[in-house]
Amino acid sequence: MIVPMSKVQIIGPKKHLAETIKEIHRLGCLHIIDIRKEPIGAEQFASPVKVDPITEIIRSRIEQAIARLTGLISLSLRDAAVRYETMPETFRLYKTYIEKDPNELLEIAEKVILEVEQKPQRLAQEKEELEKKLAIYQRYKNIITKVKPLVDKIIKLEGYDTTAIIVDKKYADVINIIREEIGRITGNRFEVISSEVDKDSIAAIIVYPNEYYEPVHQLLWSENVTQIKLPEEFENYSYADAIAVMERQIIELPKRIKEIDEQLKQYSDRYGNQLIALRDALCDKLEELAVVESFGETAFTFIISGWVPTKKVKPLIKALNKKFKGEVTVVEIPVTEEEKEEAPVVLENPGWAKPFEMILGLFSLPKYGTIDPTPFLAIFYPLFFGIILGDVGYGVVILTLAAYVGFKTANRAVKAGAYMVGFSGFMAMIFGFLYDEFFGFHFWEKIGLHPFVLDGLHLPFERAKEEVAIAYLVFALGLGAGHLLLGLILGIINSIKEKAVKHLIEKVGFLLLFVAAFMIIGSTLKKLPPVLADFGWAAIFVAMAMIVYGGGLIGAIHIFSFVGHFFSYLRIMALGLAGVVLAIIANSFAKTFDNIVLGIGIAMVVHTLNIVLHTFSSTIHSIRLNILEFFDKFYESGGRPYKPFTTRR
Amino acid sequence: MAAPETVQPMADAIKNISSALAIGLTGIGTAIAQSKIGAAAVGGIVEKPEAFGLIVVIMALPELIVILGFAVAFLLKA
């Protein structure tokens, strides 16, 4: 249901403006109309409230404080959102802070920031640097570990320098060239030790008198050899010393990082709640200061205009009367049909249908004053899903998985999704009974039951049987006809609600077309008296005239799309058959293999694949049949979401 | 004139081929349409993620073609 809304004006003397804002913010039910955007009715004589320079300064100080608090929260509280929901202490502090006036709150915030800012920031900086260092050491460690066995062999000599290189195995000859060249440069006062470090590369250590540092490095550079350079801080270290220090650091640094984390955690435990409560209270204060510009004012009064759910008008009047002893009044403004279109939309549905609002959330909200399609979606989406999937075994799997996810998660959207899938799985079980399917096997036989006949309908009907398939096709189309007919009736109700005469004529035209087609087909199949066919043909002409009159050229085009929509319901049968055939194929695997374990294993894989594919396609197509075929008959989108002016808690 | 016993298998064969063509060709048609919509849809979702729901439904639009093909194939076989 779309919640009925009332337009209200809150009028009072200017001295109560700040307190009124605080009160409506606390009550959290008013969707404010910005007077600068919609200067209508009584607001014409009122101008937007002017903000004085002092308020501007306070706003800017609050913004700065919020930025600093947000920074501090992210430094010490990485799981801020989760803690916020679960810590009652935050709420207690928030309630204390929100009662204070902006200046007082700012003073508290700035004091806390000063107290908290320095140490955690320093710790966080140190942690960042240590993490960087650790990453560098770990990278170097891999390379240096490769050359370490060579370095171990070298005896450190006074006045000698060491350079390590890595050469691709394909170019192993280059080491000989280097050996010759360095021998020439140093007069054979050198040593090159080389060794394979992995399957692709060879490492070499060159030891030479340090007076030849320049020419040796030039040579290596000109030969394009990769030298292993140590980080800057190890410039004066030998490889052996550098490796030793790095290895020590790789052990030491994580300990220090852990220590910092501990200290940050202590800070978050001590200040976390306070920081979050302060930030939120300040955010709310900022909103209260900023919203003023949306209101109107005269010389002595203020006017706040907005929409409130009708059932909340009385509590709003009562609360403001109690607070201001009648000095601030709430007036309910009568609205025209045009103004009603501007009303914000909020949906209210019973628990069983509520999760399905999420599907509607993927699209635009329904227009105010029209029908909320959520309950229909909550009925037809699981119904189509069940008819398409229809297998007791598959239904049990889906229902179990959905229940598991639903109970495990704390996320509302995931919970709602799990409910929808679970409900659909349940419907798949129901239709599984009717189709006599259990993982593609006959279910009823397994549990010792026998089919029975109900009003001429054999239950269960095996939809995979060729002779039943036509009945299944007719069933799918019949279901589609019923669904579309309901859509048309809802379209007629919407047109009446909106007093849209042409729309109404078009919708009635379609309804007549539908009935006429039914009469003609019924008479042709000799299920209805032949005379009805004549009535049917006459009705078709009348219906077409009505459609073209009501909907114009687009209406005429809609006739063809209507036929398309009707046949679109064939997908229920097509997808259902595809699914059951795959399930039967999965079972036939188990029979074909000599090794029964292998056969069952493969059958289970195919069944799993079928469940995943079938669940996905059943979901998409059930949504599609609702959104595209059904909604097209009545749904009017374009509703503005209801955004009440409310505090964070 | 062919003997009646050869006419029936020929008619069945033509029916079978027609069914295969009905579903096969419409399948190809749907695939072509969906590939084009799919490419545009990815671009659309990147630009406007909130339109995801609508785009998924639009993606499923051309499937009507293959469903009608299936219906024809099915009626031919029946």
Side-chain angles (χ1 to χ4, degrees), chain A residues 361-363 466 469-470 473 564-565 567-568 570-571 573-574 577 620-621 623-624 627-628, chain B residues 50-58 60-64 67-68 70-71 74-75 77-78:
Chain A
L362 296 171
F363 307 91
E466 216 167 294
I470 288 284
L473 185 140
H565 286 173
F567 283 110
S568 188
L570 267 176
R571 74 186 62 229
M573 180 247 187
L577 268 189
I620 292 286
H621 289 279
I623 292 179
R624 179 222 147 106
I627 302 285
L628 221 66
Chain B
E50 65 273 19
F52 177 78
L54 188 67
I55 289 173
V56 167
V57 172
I58 291 171
L61 266 182
E63 279 158 17
L64 183 64
I67 284 167
L68 293 178
F70 166 79
F74 189 81
L75 291 174
K77 287 286 286 172

Side-chain angles (χ1 to χ4, degrees), chain A residues 603-624:
Chain A
M604 279 171 73
V605 171
V606 181
H607 272 305
T608 311
L609 192 74
N610 196 19
I611 291 176
V612 174
L613 279 177
H614 220 30
T615 304
F616 182 72
S617 63
S618 304
T619 305
I620 292 286
H621 289 279
S622 305
I623 292 179
R624 179 222 147 106

Side-chain angles (χ1 to χ4, degrees), chain B residues 14-54:
Chain B
I14 290 171
K15 266 188 182 180
N16 287 339
I17 291 168
S18 308
S19 303
L21 283 175
I23 195 122
L25 292 177
T26 49
I28 292 169
T30 302
I32 293 169
Q34 256 180 348
S35 70
K36 290 190 175 176
I37 297 174
V42 173
I45 292 170
V46 170
E47 288 236 331
K48 214 176 169 189
E50 65 273 19
F52 177 78
L54 188 67

